[in-house]
């Protein structure tokens, strides 16, 4: 048990903030207490007495007794101001804010180095599932080949409810919001942005590559329609929003987020509701499978609690893989087998982008194609035709070099 006394200044008292307050009070062994809570809205009714709260962030930031700032607010810009100010004052910080971390990864790394204060954020990727610390501590850079998984709880909840319980998309989203799974801005979830931010964090801790959010291509679940749902049902598949990152032997990386048809043999098939699941592939151990709740007050608070506890024994991320400075390059030349639903007038344009077509069907106003296409071409199509197309991944094939061989063999 740690001896260090942790005095916490908490920002945010919403789903996760209140969850943490309760979880902390049920955790007897931890020498940590919340001294002050900073919130925003003066008119909201609170679960605890007013004396605990402040509306002025400086009441926490300027309090020398507070040595840990826990940031659990839903505003990434305000969060960055708070977190950077706290690190500059030498306070340890715990955050669950993946958008803020993904948008400022390099700056946050520099601040930790310059001011010697740690920033932990296990809850920011897959909530309760301890993936960051495993990537950080367990896997050596050379061992890890790929990570693939469901990293967003709300979209998994929505997909489970629409596919298996025939709920409408709107009703499923409403339920996810009521249960506290969804981001305040639902587009972050359903547009695949939240999954992209998490993938960016995982990429840094898996392979030591710091991407910018715009470097990672994301397709969400908001364009998925009847045809894709029917296709999945008829073939005994499920649709999952899957984040992919993998490293080739030549040091090239691929990272993208896309809805995927998964079969019963895929371990992700069985990851339903608000659960997240990640499969890591290593050179020698083959695969590992992590699973856990990917959102919700207590599960997320549990990861925050674990970070607070780790601060008690001065734990910090070493970012070993980043400092090894391997020459890595993020490419979008991976060949994907997909199904795309499109409008009739886009048929020709789409067909030109495919390397090979397996099946194509068009009726009076729409159609679909299954076949192989490079990620780069999907990205280009998305710039102009985003709202008219719906891509669902069937299989990740190869990078460009191997794809040429594959094409030659199958021609
Ligand atoms: N919910 C989940 O399952 C989950 C899972 C993993 C990670 N996260 C992350 O955890 C964080 C919090 O999420 P949440 O679901 O708890 O959000 P939430 O329920 O909407 O609560 C947000 C809280 O932030 C406060 N707040 C907003 N701006 C503020 C500011 N400038 N200064 C002080 N307080 C401010 C709000 O104050 P008022 O109460 O005054 O409005 C509210 O208490 C987010 O970064 C989210 O991405 C959430």
């Amino acid at each position: 048990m740690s001896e260090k006394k942790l005095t916490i200044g908490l920002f945010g008292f919403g789903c996760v903030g209140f969850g943490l307050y309760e979880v902390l009070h049920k955790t007897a062994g931890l020498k940590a207490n919340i001294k002050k809570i900073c919130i925003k809205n003066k008119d909201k009714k609170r679960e605890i007495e007013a004396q605990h709260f402040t509306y002025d962030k400086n009441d926490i930031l300027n309090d020398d007794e507070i040595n840990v700032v826990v940031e659990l607010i839903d505003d990434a810009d305000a969060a960055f101001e708070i977190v950077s100010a706290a690190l500059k004052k030498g306070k340890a910080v715990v955050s669950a804010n993946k958008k803020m971390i993904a948008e400022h990864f390099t700056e946050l790394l520099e601040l930790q180095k310059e001011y010697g204060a740690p920033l932990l954020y296990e809850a920011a990727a897959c909530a309760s599932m301890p993936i960051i610390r495993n990537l950080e501590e367990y896997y050596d850079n050379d061992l890890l080949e790929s990570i693939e998984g469901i990293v967003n709880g709300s979209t998994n909840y929505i997909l489970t409810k629409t596919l298996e319980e025939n709920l409408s998309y709107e009703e499923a989203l409403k339920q996810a919001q009521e249960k506290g799974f969804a981001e305040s801005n639902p587009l972050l979830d359903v547009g695949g942005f939240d999954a992209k931010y998490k993938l960016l964090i995982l990429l840094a801790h898996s392979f030591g590559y710091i991407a910018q959010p715009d470097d990672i291509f994301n397709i969400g679940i908001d364009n998925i329609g009847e045809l894709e749902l029917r296709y999945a049902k008829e073939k005994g598949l499920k649709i999952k929003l899957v984040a992919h990152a993998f490293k080739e032997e030549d040091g090239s990386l691929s990272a993208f987020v896309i809805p995927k048809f998964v079969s019963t043999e895929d371990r992700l098939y069985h990851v339903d509701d608000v659960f997240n699941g990640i499969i890591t592939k290593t050179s020698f151990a083959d695969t590992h499978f992590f699973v856990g709740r990917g959102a919700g007050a207590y599960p997320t608070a549990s990861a925050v609690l674990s970070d607070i506890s780790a601060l008690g024994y001065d734990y910090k991320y070493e970012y070993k893989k980043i400092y090894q400075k391997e020459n890595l390059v993020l490419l979008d030349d991976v060949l994907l087998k997909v199904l795309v639903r499109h409008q009739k007038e886009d048929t020709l344009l789409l067909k030109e982008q495919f390397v090979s077509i397996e099946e194509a069907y068009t009726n009076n106003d729409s159609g679909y194609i299954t076949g192989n296409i490079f990620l780069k071409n999907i990205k280009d199509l998305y710039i102009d035709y985003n709202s008219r197309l719906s891509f669902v991944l069937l299989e990740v094939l190869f990078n460009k070099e191997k794809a040429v061989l594959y094409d030659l063999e199958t021609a």
Side-chain angles (χ1 to χ4, degrees):
M1 200 198 304
S2 100
E3 283 307 308
K4 193 168 170 181
K5 185 169 173 249
L6 303 171
T7 305
I8 297 170
L10 172 63
F11 284 86
F13 205 62
C15 173
V16 187
F18 183 56
L20 177 70
Y21 179 87
E22 294 207 307
V23 162
L24 208 55
H25 280 87
K26 290 178 181 164
T27 313
L30 191 65
K31 285 193 177 162
N33 75 291
I34 299 174
K35 184 173 179 190
K36 207 80 206 163
I37 303 167
C38 180
I39 39 167
K40 194 174 165 189
N41 188 338
K42 293 189 172 152
D43 303 325
K44 253 191 207 170
K45 205 171 165 305
R46 306 290 168 181
E47 292 86 347
I48 57 172
E49 305 84 62
Q51 81 224 31
H52 295 285
F53 296 106
T54 176
Y55 301 94
D56 181 358
K57 62 179 185 228
N58 292 318
D59 285 349
I60 289 178
L61 295 172
N62 292 338
D63 185 333
D64 290 338
E65 200 199 348
I66 291 177
N67 54 1
V68 177
V69 163
V70 178
E71 179 280 301
L72 299 173
I73 73 172
D74 59 343
D75 174 339
D77 295 335
F80 181 62
E81 272 181 40
I82 291 161
V83 169
S84 47
L87 290 172
K88 283 179 186 168
K89 286 182 178 286
K91 296 183 194 299
V93 180
V94 176
S95 170
N97 203 317
K98 46 266 168 157
K99 184 170 192 287
M100 185 272 296
I101 295 162
E103 285 174 344
H104 298 281
F105 202 93
T106 306
E107 290 149 282
L108 292 168
L109 204 64
E110 290 301 319
L111 284 167
Q112 290 176 76
K113 214 157 64 173
E114 188 175 346
Y115 295 94
L119 166 65
L120 302 182
Y121 40 83
E122 189 62 72
C126 305
S128 74
M129 192 203 289
I131 187 70
I132 297 179
R133 251 186 275 168
N134 272 294
L135 290 172
E136 182 74 7
E137 301 301 324
Y138 184 81
Y139 297 106
D140 191 78
N141 196 7
D142 292 336
L143 292 179
L144 203 57
E145 291 178 4
S146 67
I147 51 172
E148 179 201 15
I150 297 165
V151 298
N152 179 276
S154 331
T155 48
N156 207 35
Y157 183 85
I158 293 168
L159 289 169
T160 304
K161 296 291 162 190
T162 48
L163 257 166
E164 285 164 49
E165 293 175 27
N166 294 322
L167 239 61
S168 71
Y169 174 84
E170 290 72 25
E171 180 55 31
L173 171 63
K174 196 164 143 260
Q175 280 191 10
Q177 285 170 322
E178 282 164 4
K179 287 173 185 278
F181 301 156
E183 290 297 315
S184 307
N185 172 4
L187 181 67
L188 292 181
D189 289 319
V190 299
F193 296 95
D194 180 82
K196 180 233 287 276
Y197 299 139
K198 289 168 179 165
L199 182 59
L200 187 152
I201 295 170
L202 297 178
L203 202 58
H205 288 277
S206 309
F207 302 114
Y209 185 86
I210 305 174
Q212 299 300 316
D214 283 349
D215 299 340
I216 299 177
F217 182 57
N218 57 294
I219 300 181
I221 64 162
D222 42 354
N223 277 1
I224 292 176
E226 270 307 308
L227 182 133
E228 300 86 299
L229 295 177
R230 222 175 34 243
Y231 184 95
K233 273 186 187 156
E234 280 169 11
K235 296 197 182 299
L237 305 168
K238 288 182 184 174
I239 303 177
K240 302 288 180 189
L241 185 64
V242 180
H244 299 81
F246 43 89
K247 189 171 126 186
E248 301 288 346
E249 278 164 18
D250 62 2
S252 64
L253 290 171
S254 301
F256 53 95
V257 175
I258 189 168
K260 184 182 180 192
F261 290 114
V262 292
S263 71
T264 47
E265 286 104 70
D266 192 321
R267 276 177 281 193
L268 298 181
Y269 183 94
H270 307 284
V271 179
D272 283 333
D273 290 309
V274 75
F275 282 84
N276 284 182
I278 287 193
I279 301 163
T280 56
K281 182 160 186 350
T282 79
S283 309
F284 305 117
D286 197 8
T287 59
H288 292 143
F289 181 39
F290 297 82
V291 67
R293 285 184 185 272
Y298 281 11
T300 311
S302 135
V304 176
L305 184 78
S306 175
D307 279 351
I308 295 171
S309 162
L311 290 173
Y313 50 90
D314 291 325
Y315 178 78
K316 60 180 181 210
Y317 302 138
E318 289 181 50
Y319 297 105
K320 288 188 283 274
K321 293 165 199 170
I322 290 174
Y323 294 124
Q324 278 164 9
K325 287 205 184 310
E326 208 191 337
N327 277 332
L328 297 170
V329 48
L330 188 64
L331 297 176
D332 51 17
D333 64 356
V334 60
L335 187 65
L336 305 177
K337 182 173 178 184
V338 300
L339 175 146
V340 57
R341 178 175 48 81
H342 59 84
Q343 297 186 357
K344 190 181 178 189
E345 63 262 38
D346 300 331
T347 309
L348 208 62
L349 168 105
L350 263 171
K351 282 186 171 173
E352 282 168 4
Q353 304 296 319
F354 273 76
V355 173
S356 55
I357 290 177
E358 197 171 279
E359 203 183 339
Y361 169 81
T362 321
N363 62 22
N364 290 340
D365 51 12
S366 64
Y368 74 88
I369 297 171
T370 61
N372 300 345
I373 181 169
F374 283 109
L375 178 64
K376 182 185 177 317
N377 298 67
I378 299 181
K379 275 170 86 169
D380 290 347
L381 283 165
Y382 240 66
I383 295 169
D384 297 322
Y385 301 96
N386 176 353
S387 58
R388 291 159 58 156
L389 300 173
S390 165
F391 281 96
V392 183
L393 180 68
L394 285 156
E395 196 185 347
V396 176
L397 295 169
F398 316 109
N399 71 355
K400 197 160 207 158
E401 215 173 296
K402 288 187 204 156
V404 172
L405 294 174
Y406 171 81
D407 243 25
L408 287 175
E409 280 166 18
T410 53

